[in-house]
Amino acid sequence: MDIRALDDTALADDVVMRDFYDVNRRAQLHGRLHAPFWEFGEFLGAFRSTDSGERQELFAAYDGDRMVGNAVLWSFLLDNTDKAWFHLSVDVPERRRGIGRALAQRLEQTAKDDDRSLILADAILPFDDRECHAHQRFAAACGYELSNYEVVRHLPLPVPDEQIQEWIDEAAPRHAGFTVQTFVGAVPDDLVESLCVLLGQLAVDAPTGAVDFDEEAVTPQRYAEMVATTAAMGRARYETVALTPDRQVVAQSTLAMSLEQSTKVYQWGTFVHREHRGHKLGLATKAVNLRAVQTMRGDLTLVITQNAETNNYMVSINERMGFRPIEVAAEFVKRL
Ligand SMILES: CC(C)(COP(=O)(O)OP(=O)(O)OC[C@H]1O[C@@H](n2cnc3c(N)ncnc32)[C@H](O)[C@@H]1OP(=O)(O)O)[C@@H](O)C(=O)NCCC(=O)NCCS
């Protein structure tokens, strides 16, 4: 078995990337066959897009010509430069042969050579076996500590429009003077700066367990790249924002919806500025955004979200909206 770094030529090669996706898919869906998983086109769009705030490096483990495992390492470039994080997959029939450990060691060495002192990874675990599951044991065997538990929740769609209206009506008196608006794709130029500030603060204010994150530098360039990445994935990006009378963005919620065959909707961030909490802007932006995607596509089946188990405010909004817990995403950390 040898581990190869995949260069830009490999990234541009659909055959190599199909192997990468298939190994990933089999590894991630093992034991959870019906879990939502992104389509090949969504994966390609994401991996071939640029984010000027992160370096992405791909590695694959080969047995002869056969890809048996793979990994992606992301290294923050503008902030949190002490950290890197990764995804690691080993094909199901190839497990317990040391491939996972060898890939993890390669990633750790790469991060160390780049002066990173913290390396992070995550893994999906079933609720009832989260303490003893194989992925938890693998992480421990490789010297990782648990840093955080997030809970993955699903909301079956459609949600009746009268129910959405009820949430909007309940929230409205608490934020009189603010307007709530939805944009598909990029928000207008005059809103980009205050939206970027919010997007950058999410990692600081959302609970992240044992690891503290510095504010993220979300520049207008990175924001434009995020919008372009979403389009490259064949998804529409729905951004609902709450605006002050002088058009400052003080709350936001993002949904990404497939424009192709997938009927799944991905909830990305929801964030209310520190100075504007307690006005039900979280519920309001989420409800308005949900209505917008349901209006656009009547066949949507599910919204998928994930939050820290300890994020009481966000979790209570999600429970209120009917999201149900499905599984756990454990986050692990190792000091290099
Ligand atoms: C987790 C994963 C990467 C492990 O890959 P792997 O190639 O089977 O791991 P290794 O063979 O290198 O195992 C290294 C050590 O981890 C532990 N381990 C791995 N799988 C285990 C299992 N099923 N039960 C108990 N311990 C296990 C063992 O201590 C093992 O050493 P040993 O075989 O000498 O006892 C693989 O199961 C996978 O792809 N899972 C889905 C993706 C994922 O969750 N990745 C993130 C992990 S943080």
Side-chain angles (χ1 to χ4, degrees):
M1 191 267 302
D2 65 314
I3 295 176
R4 303 177 201 158
L6 299 184
D7 60 11
D8 287 347
T9 310
L11 180 61
D13 185 331
D14 281 359
V15 176
V16 177
M17 293 311 286
R18 183 78 220 192
D19 280 347
F20 200 99
Y21 172 83
D22 285 343
V23 166
N24 223 228
R25 184 182 180 98
R26 286 192 293 271
Q28 300 291 337
L29 293 184
H30 181 60
R32 44 193 289 276
L33 267 188
H34 302 293
F37 195 77
W38 57 359
E39 304 293 333
F40 184 50
E42 295 175 301
F43 157 87
L44 276 187
F47 275 78
R48 290 181 178 160
S49 294
T50 310
D51 177 350
S52 49
E54 279 178 13
R55 182 172 56 239
Q56 167 186 278
E57 292 167 277
L58 306 188
F59 298 87
Y62 282 92
D63 185 349
D65 287 340
R66 210 159 38 90
M67 194 186 289
V68 290
N70 62 43
V72 196
L73 181 69
W74 290 277
S75 307
F76 305 104
L77 299 174
L78 306 177
D79 49 72
N80 293 288
T81 52
D82 57 332
K83 306 179 186 77
W85 65 286
F86 67 84
H87 276 174
L88 171 58
S89 299
V90 175
D91 210 347
V92 179
E94 312 293 341
R95 293 188 180 171
R96 297 308 289 272
R97 290 177 49 204
I99 299 168
R101 193 195 290 271
L103 275 165
Q105 283 168 352
R106 174 69 176 267
L107 300 170
E108 288 161 19
Q109 193 56 51
T110 306
K112 233 190 222 173
D113 292 345
D114 192 30
D115 287 330
R116 310 269 160 175
S117 54
L118 278 185
I119 191 159
L120 308 148
D122 56 6
I124 299 285
L125 310 173
F127 261 105
D128 53 3
D129 189 26
R130 65 187 194 176
E131 310 296 335
C132 311
H133 188 271
H135 300 157
Q136 181 83 260
R137 283 191 275 175
F138 169 75
C142 293
Y144 287 73
E145 286 166 37
L146 180 79
S147 90
N148 193 24
Y149 276 131
E150 298 221 324
V151 176
V152 178
R153 288 184 170 79
H154 291 176
L155 172 65
L157 298 182
V159 172
D161 200 61
E162 312 77 71
Q163 175 63 82
I164 296 178
Q165 190 60 48
E166 207 176 283
W167 295 324
I168 293 172
D169 290 344
E170 176 192 318
R174 300 276 295 274
H175 53 78
F178 293 86
T179 45
V180 177
Q181 259 183 290
T182 302
F183 301 97
V184 184
V187 300
D189 289 350
D190 67 315
L191 302 183
V192 169
E193 199 182 317
S194 54
L195 176 60
C196 284
V197 171
L198 280 193
L199 295 175
Q201 289 178 351
L202 179 61
V204 182
D205 286 10
T208 51
V211 178
D212 285 330
F213 285 84
D214 296 331
E215 189 161 326
E216 232 189 302
V218 179
T219 59
Q221 181 188 343
R222 282 190 80 193
Y223 174 67
E225 289 163 349
M226 285 174 199
V227 172
T229 301
T230 316
M233 292 170 75
R235 292 183 184 174
R237 186 184 175 101
Y238 279 68
E239 193 76 67
T240 295
V241 296
L243 302 173
T244 58
D246 61 346
R247 285 179 66 80
Q248 292 298 303
V249 181
V250 294
Q252 62 78 221
S253 188
T254 317
L255 290 172
M257 178 189 79
S258 174
L259 292 167
E260 291 162 21
Q261 64 272 49
S262 168
T263 57
K264 315 286 189 303
V265 182
Y266 294 87
Q267 171 77 64
W268 289 348
T270 298
F271 191 81
V272 180
H273 191 280
R274 289 161 202 158
E275 287 166 19
H276 297 281
R277 296 195 183 141
H279 299 291
K280 288 202 181 278
L281 288 171
L283 179 64
T285 51
K286 284 190 71 139
V288 169
N289 218 9
L290 179 59
R291 170 178 279 168
V293 294
Q294 287 199 157
T295 305
M296 186 50 72
R297 250 186 90 166
D299 62 339
L300 296 171
T301 52
L302 202 65
V303 185
I304 303 151
T305 194
Q306 185 178 318
N307 313 101
E309 196 165 43
T310 54
N311 193 341
N312 295 335
Y313 177 58
M314 193 73 256
V315 170
S316 70
I317 293 175
N318 287 337
E319 282 178 345
R320 179 81 205 285
M321 293 179 77
F323 280 90
R324 304 210 186 94
I326 303 294
E327 53 198 355
V328 173
E331 297 175 345
F332 299 101
V333 61
K334 183 171 180 173
R335 279 159 224 284
L336 298 174

